[in-house]
Amino acid sequence: MAQRVRSAWLFLTPMLLVLAAVAGWPLIRTVYFSFTDASLSDLDARQWVGFANYFSMLSMPSGRTLYDGLLVDPVWWRAVWNTVRFTAVSVISETILGMIVALVLNAEFRGRGLVRAAILIPWAIPTIVSAKMWQWMLNDQFGIINVVLINLGLIHAKIAWTASADTAMVAVLIVDIWKTTPFMALLILAALQMLPREIIEVAKLDGANPWQIFWRVTLPLIRPAVMVAVIFRALDALRIFDLIYVLTPNNVQTKSMSVFARENLFEFDKFAYGSAASTLLFLILALLTISYIRIARISLDGGR
């Protein structure tokens, strides 16, 4: 056993070193910059300011107290709310739709292999390409979505899907659900493929109908795999950037935490402030993930 442990560490060490170089060191630097007044134009001239980027108080001669920092920034908290709302709706929708697609693909029918390959096409398309394609389709002037809906009588005037405050988040969710549902379906299908057929046959012999088989037999058996898939998808959704940045740029209604951090880091030349936002984003991701694993009592090795 000791030899196996040494061998495992021997094989893992190169990966850990690379991970520390490409992820650990930049993370440490980001956290450090969040406690300074660093500017992108001159990082070497930074000065230590402590928690000023997160929260600070300034007492005026008139007796009024001014509060500043990320923790009292309404734009930041709006970005947090946008991200959490986007994550909740997208992950729940993709899990339900992915389950339906996986159950269909798990059934025996002619041409199943071709359908399985076709269903993965949206997920295989790069996110930037998908966002740009849907941006054209949702355009209020020449987009095909408005044309189809008008011809069907569902709307009476063209809608600026990605520009309107009422529909911008809906547009982002539609694109994300279309693209990522195949990913969830693939993971759930893999779990369905591992189920022993004998259990299903015994349930049928006992007189269980399809809904009872799914709810009482199939779902409990694949639940650990589904919960792990939800973790991976939620982590990806919480740090959403590229889809929102391309589809709805400069839109307060859809601005995510990652977009907020990027704007401050590079566009507004508030590098320290953007570093603080990136640090809080990391902490939020870590806390939500740990809480989810604790509450759901999930074992990441596939057990429960």
Side-chain angles (χ1 to χ4, degrees):
M1 181 60 66
Q3 184 179 1
R4 289 183 177 180
V5 171
R6 287 194 298 270
S7 299
W9 277 110
L10 181 63
F11 285 110
L12 287 174
T13 299
M15 181 273 295
L16 293 175
L17 292 175
V18 173
L19 188 62
V22 303
W25 177 243
L27 176 61
I28 294 173
R29 292 279 288 177
T30 300
V31 175
Y32 168 73
F33 282 131
S34 70
F35 294 103
T36 68
D37 61 352
S39 173
L40 189 62
S41 58
D42 190 2
L43 291 177
D44 295 330
R46 61 186 178 273
Q47 297 292 329
W48 184 266
V49 296
F51 288 91
N53 290 313
Y54 296 96
F55 181 78
S56 63
M57 299 172 53
L58 178 61
S59 298
M60 305 295 291
S62 61
R64 182 184 177 189
T65 302
L66 300 179
Y67 300 96
D68 193 18
L70 198 62
L71 295 179
V72 293
D73 189 342
V75 180
W76 162 253
W77 288 113
R78 181 59 183 267
V80 173
W81 166 243
N82 288 340
T83 307
V84 172
R85 181 178 58 167
F86 168 83
T87 300
V89 176
S90 64
V91 173
I92 292 174
S93 302
E94 289 157 9
T95 302
I96 296 174
L97 293 175
M99 180 72 71
I100 296 173
V101 173
L103 290 171
V104 172
L105 295 180
N106 192 50
E108 298 286 345
F109 61 90
R110 198 170 185 178
R112 183 175 63 172
L114 181 62
V115 175
R116 285 182 178 180
I119 204 70
L120 293 176
I121 291 177
W123 182 50
I125 299 175
T127 304
I128 299 298
V129 177
S130 298
K132 205 63 183 177
M133 178 181 68
W134 277 92
Q135 189 180 48
W136 292 334
M137 294 170 62
L138 294 169
N139 188 275
D140 58 324
Q141 299 298 322
F142 53 80
I144 191 174
I145 300 297
N146 280 321
V147 174
V148 172
L149 294 178
I150 289 176
N151 290 335
L152 292 175
L154 299 178
I155 60 175
H156 303 289
K158 293 182 178 180
I159 300 175
W161 292 94
T162 59
S164 173
D166 298 327
T167 58
M169 181 60 76
V170 175
V172 173
L173 285 168
I174 289 174
V175 179
D176 186 76
I177 292 171
W178 171 83
K179 176 174 174 53
T180 319
T181 294
F183 170 76
M184 296 297 290
L186 183 65
L187 296 181
I188 297 173
L189 178 61
L192 290 172
Q193 293 287 297
M194 298 297 293
L195 290 181
R197 298 293 180 182
E198 295 80 5
I199 298 179
I200 307 298
E201 296 298 330
V202 170
K204 290 180 179 179
L205 291 176
D206 287 340
N209 57 44
W211 172 251
Q212 291 173 329
I213 292 175
F214 169 75
W215 190 254
R216 299 290 185 179
V217 180
T218 303
L219 187 59
L221 290 175
I222 67 172
R223 186 178 178 183
V226 173
M227 300 294 276
V228 173
V230 168
I231 289 179
F232 291 143
R233 180 64 200 111
L235 287 175
D236 191 43
L238 284 169
R239 53 189 175 86
I240 182 70
F241 170 78
D242 44 8
L243 182 62
I244 292 177
Y245 189 76
V246 174
L247 199 62
T248 57
N250 302 320
N251 194 319
V252 179
Q253 303 298 326
T254 60
K255 182 180 295 185
S256 66
M257 291 185 285
S258 296
V259 174
F260 178 92
R262 194 264 180 193
E263 286 180 346
N264 284 276
L265 282 167
F266 304 112
E267 294 182 10
F268 301 158
D269 195 20
K270 299 168 65 177
F271 193 81
Y273 200 71
S275 298
S278 301
T279 302
L280 280 185
L281 171 58
F282 170 76
L283 292 177
I284 291 173
L285 284 172
L287 290 175
L288 289 178
T289 304
I290 293 173
S291 301
Y292 178 83
I293 293 174
R294 293 280 187 178
I295 294 172
R297 293 180 295 174
I298 298 172
S299 173
L300 295 181
D301 61 1
R304 183 171 174 81

